[in-house]
Amino acid sequence: MGLLKTFFIIFILFLFPMGEIARYQFGNGISITAIDAGAILLILIWLISNIIRGKRKLIFKSSLTNPILLFVAICILSLIVNLSNLKSSELFVSSLYLIRWIMYALIYFVVSGFDKKFKAKIPILMVISGLLILGGGYIQYFFYPSLRNLYYLGWDEHLYRMFSVFLDPNFAGAFFVLLLFLMFGLIVYCMKSRKLICTIALLLLAGFTAIGIFLTYSRSAFVMFFAGIFIFLVLTNKKKVMIPVLAICLIVFAISSKNFNIENTNLLRTASGVARLDSANKAVTVIRDHPLFGVGFNAYRYAQIRYGFVGDKELMVSHAAAGTDNSFLFVLATTGLVGFTAYAYLWYRISSNLYALFKQNIGLDKIIPLVLFSSYVGISLASFFINALFYPFIIVWIWILLGYCEKTRG
């Protein structure tokens, strides 16, 4: 096994499960996590190995290359247009966010270049990685039920909720849904392949994952689950399964109502909804004043200071003040209508490619595009409530599976 494949395994099994715990804050809005450092090394190894092998012309050959380049170009243009509004330090920090997004997107090209034999191992590696995060979530839920002692570092309390290594139950919930969908796909594959032991093991693990989703008490994760599972069942001609799924969810909702007296575990809570509406209203104000190219990607944090939405100290401490809860409003506010159009085009190309692969392929090469298509629809809906489409761990998960689905080149 080559160095690139070995480090990719290290990246998935050791660096990715560290989540936000392995995070170093430099100050002035700059921080780095284990997956940031790992992605840098992964990309460098990939570039060097391809240059040595003389495959420079092949490494970026993909159906998504042009949509990715178009969005990146407009992000750069949005920063150039807003140069007069940004200090040099602000431009530097905003550019780092764009560089990180590009770096994560390059993981897609890394994975798409792997041979078919190694690619076949990737779904299992991702399930193992996800289970490590889920296991950490259960340990956290029972032994570390609150982040109150980290409030001074900008983390919310999240009392009696599973937040795992992400230190946020909403993103943890979204990630667990992605993990559950991947398990569903592998279960379908194992059932069709008549692998009984594999099917039973995955069903048990899927059950623990579903419980983990519930323990996050994240309504955005529930919306994501329902949207994704609906697409999954429709495309696999199992629409009737939705009835027992809904029945089980209603029973769980009724049982959990005994915890509704606690704000954090109250599924009917209104405080977070009011906060999201306030965040959306602020974003709409920014979009109205900067309709074409926005305030620069990602210079939204500095726009909030100019508008008086947040103070300098709040921005430096809070992990939410640098963006808005809605991913689509975030794109509109930072890159304007031009950037949003480019991002929508990228979304369309990803979705159409996955649907086409689902229709054309067989076996696991049919199942994974279905899993990813369902996941992408679900995460897009969840992104109306949390900035999931730009959350690092979700981005990396999506790009890896997209790379798996891409035909191996050369």
Side-chain angles (χ1 to χ4, degrees), residues 2-153:
L3 178 61
L4 181 61
K5 292 177 183 177
T6 301
F7 190 77
F8 178 79
I9 293 173
I10 293 171
F11 178 78
I12 290 295
L13 296 183
F14 295 97
L15 301 181
F16 191 90
M18 290 183 181
E20 294 285 356
I21 294 174
R23 176 191 183 101
Y24 183 78
Q25 197 80 30
F26 290 98
N28 298 320
I30 302 174
S31 63
I32 187 170
T33 61
I35 64 163
D36 293 334
I40 292 171
L41 288 173
L42 185 67
I43 300 305
L44 285 175
I45 295 170
W46 169 69
L47 286 172
I48 293 169
S49 64
N50 278 282
I51 290 171
I52 292 173
R53 290 185 296 170
K55 291 188 176 183
R56 284 171 290 183
K57 293 182 179 179
L58 285 174
I59 58 176
F60 294 111
K61 189 177 180 181
S62 164
S63 58
L64 296 179
T65 301
N66 289 336
I68 291 171
L69 287 175
L70 178 62
F71 179 65
V72 170
I74 291 174
C75 287
I76 294 171
L77 183 58
S78 72
L79 287 170
I80 293 173
V81 169
N82 286 281
L83 280 176
S84 60
N85 297 323
L86 298 170
K87 300 174 185 177
S88 57
S89 60
E90 294 172 347
L91 178 64
F92 174 69
V93 173
S94 301
S95 299
L96 286 177
Y97 191 92
L98 176 58
I99 291 170
R100 185 173 69 172
W101 191 91
I102 295 170
M103 187 171 59
Y104 291 157
L106 287 174
I107 293 176
Y108 157 73
F109 294 98
V110 174
V111 177
S112 64
F114 287 139
D115 59 83
K116 195 168 183 179
K117 185 179 179 180
F118 184 75
K119 276 186 176 182
K121 301 175 183 177
I122 290 177
I124 300 300
L125 290 173
M126 295 179 72
V127 167
I128 294 171
S129 180
L131 289 174
L132 290 173
I133 294 172
L134 178 68
Y138 275 105
I139 293 171
Q140 165 269 306
Y141 182 78
F142 290 108
F143 298 101
Y144 190 66
S146 173
L147 280 175
R148 185 177 298 172
N149 64 315
L150 297 182
Y151 186 77
Y152 74 100
L153 292 176

Side-chain angles (χ1 to χ4, degrees), residues 141-260:
Y141 182 78
F142 290 108
F143 298 101
Y144 190 66
S146 173
L147 280 175
R148 185 177 298 172
N149 64 315
L150 297 182
Y151 186 77
Y152 74 100
L153 292 176
W155 299 104
D156 292 333
E157 182 180 0
H158 302 309
L159 183 63
Y160 305 133
R161 299 173 70 181
M162 185 181 288
F163 45 77
S164 190
V165 296
F166 303 125
L167 307 183
D168 187 298
N170 295 309
F171 290 119
F175 176 79
F176 293 154
V177 174
L178 293 178
L179 174 61
L180 185 63
F181 285 165
L182 181 55
M183 286 181 176
F184 282 163
L186 293 176
I187 288 168
V188 171
Y189 174 73
C190 289
M191 289 176 67
K192 289 184 176 180
S193 303
R194 297 183 178 180
K195 298 178 180 178
L196 182 60
I197 295 176
C198 177
T199 302
I200 294 173
L202 283 169
L203 282 170
L204 289 172
L205 292 171
F208 282 109
T209 306
I211 294 171
I213 294 169
F214 172 74
L215 293 177
T216 66
Y217 291 94
S218 171
R219 292 170 296 184
S220 58
F222 299 159
V223 169
M224 178 181 169
F225 170 77
F226 283 121
I229 200 65
F230 177 78
I231 296 295
F232 189 92
L233 294 175
V234 167
L235 292 179
T236 53
N237 294 316
K238 291 180 171 61
K239 295 187 283 287
K240 292 181 179 179
V241 179
M242 275 302 296
I243 296 174
V245 169
L246 285 172
I248 292 171
C249 291
L250 287 173
I251 292 171
V252 171
F253 180 84
I255 294 172
S256 64
S257 62
K258 64 183 179 64
N259 295 321
F260 285 4

Side-chain angles (χ1 to χ4, degrees), residues 251-271:
I251 292 171
V252 171
F253 180 84
I255 294 172
S256 64
S257 62
K258 64 183 179 64
N259 295 321
F260 285 4
N261 61 312
I262 303 172
E263 177 65 19
N264 284 281
T265 58
N266 182 4
L267 296 178
L268 302 177
R269 59 188 178 274
T270 58

Side-chain angles (χ1 to χ4, degrees), residues 78-79 82 279-301 303-304 306-307 309 322-340 390:
S78 72
L79 287 170
N82 286 281
S279 174
N281 286 332
K282 291 174 180 176
V284 169
T285 300
V286 174
I287 294 166
R288 182 192 62 204
D289 295 343
H290 303 82
L292 286 179
F293 292 100
V295 295
F297 188 92
N298 168 36
Y300 188 74
R301 63 185 70 202
Q304 291 208 88
R306 292 198 301 273
Y307 277 83
F309 295 154
T324 184
D325 292 324
N326 187 310
S327 293
F328 302 104
L329 291 180
F330 173 77
V331 177
L332 279 166
T334 57
T335 62
L337 287 169
V338 178
F340 183 80
F390 291 91

Side-chain angles (χ1 to χ4, degrees), residues 377-388:
V377 171
I379 205 68
S380 296
L381 280 178
S383 292
F384 281 96
F385 310 101
I386 59 173
N387 195 7

